[in-house]
Amino acid sequence: MLPQSNIEAPEIMVPDPIAFSFEAIGWSILFALLALVVVLTIGFFVYRYYKNRYRREAIKELSALTESGLSNQQLTEKMGEWLKIVAMYRYGRLQVAGLFGEDWLSFLLGKYKRADKGHLQSVVFGVYNPGYNKGLDDKDYQNIVESVKKWIKHHG
C-alpha cells in the first residue's frame, strides 16, 4: 500500500460557457446571402414560367383542336399552323417564315433531336398535299398530335 499524502490537487478553473447569439456579423452575412439565393431562385422560376407561356398556350390550343371534331386534314393544317407560329415566336420570322417542305422538316428535326420524323413529316407534307396522309386512322392522328405537342414542349 502506498502512503497517503495530504496534498490536494489544484482546482482547475473552467471559464463560463459563451452564450450563443445571432449578433455576430457572420450570421448577418449568411442570412443576407441565403435571402439573395431564395429571391434569385424564385425570380428564375417566375421568368422561366413566363418565358414558356407560348408553349403552354400552343399545347392547350392543340388539345382543344383534337376535341373540336375537325377532319383529319383540317387537324393536319391546324397542327402545321401551330408549329409555324411557335417556331416563328421562338426563332424569329426571318428564320422561319420562308421554310417549307424538306427545309421546314429539317429545321423542326434540328431543333428537337428526339422528334418523331415520320409524324412531323405527316404534318409538314400533309398540309399542302391532302392525299399524303391517306390511310392513316384516328389513332395515327392522335400519335401525330402527341408528337407535335412534344416538339412544342421540348424544342430548343
Side-chain angles (χ1 to χ4, degrees), residues 7-142:
I7 302 174
E8 293 182 19
E11 190 175 315
I12 299 175
M13 300 288 290
V14 179
D16 292 333
I18 299 173
F20 181 77
S21 167
F22 285 111
E23 295 174 10
I25 188 71
W27 286 109
S28 300
I29 293 171
L30 180 66
F31 287 140
L33 288 175
L34 184 61
L36 180 66
V37 167
V38 168
V39 167
L40 289 176
T41 302
I42 291 171
F44 170 75
F45 284 111
V46 167
Y47 171 75
R48 196 170 103 192
Y49 180 81
Y50 176 77
K51 183 179 159 196
N52 288 318
R53 183 183 63 204
Y54 74 99
R55 295 177 198 247
R56 290 187 305 278
E57 289 177 8
I59 289 171
K60 187 171 91 176
E61 286 294 325
L62 283 176
S63 296
L65 288 174
T66 58
E67 306 293 324
S68 67
L70 294 173
S71 71
N72 288 340
Q73 180 58 33
Q74 291 171 322
L75 184 59
T76 301
E77 291 169 6
K78 291 295 184 181
M79 285 188 292
E81 285 177 27
W82 276 102
L83 278 173
K84 196 68 106 161
I85 289 168
V86 167
M88 281 195 296
Y89 181 83
R90 174 66 172 87
Y91 301 105
R93 183 176 296 274
L94 292 175
Q95 186 177 1
V96 175
L99 297 175
F100 62 94
E102 285 293 332
D103 293 336
W104 177 226
L105 181 61
S106 295
F107 176 85
L108 292 173
L109 293 172
K111 297 303 178 187
Y112 178 48
K113 304 290 186 203
R114 294 179 12 189
D116 187 312
K117 181 179 181 180
H119 290 157
L120 289 179
Q121 198 169 9
S122 293
V123 174
V124 169
F125 296 118
V127 168
Y128 299 109
N129 183 0
Y132 187 83
N133 291 329
K134 196 175 232 177
L136 297 180
D137 60 9
D138 290 341
K139 179 74 173 157
D140 294 326
Y141 274 93
Q142 287 300 328

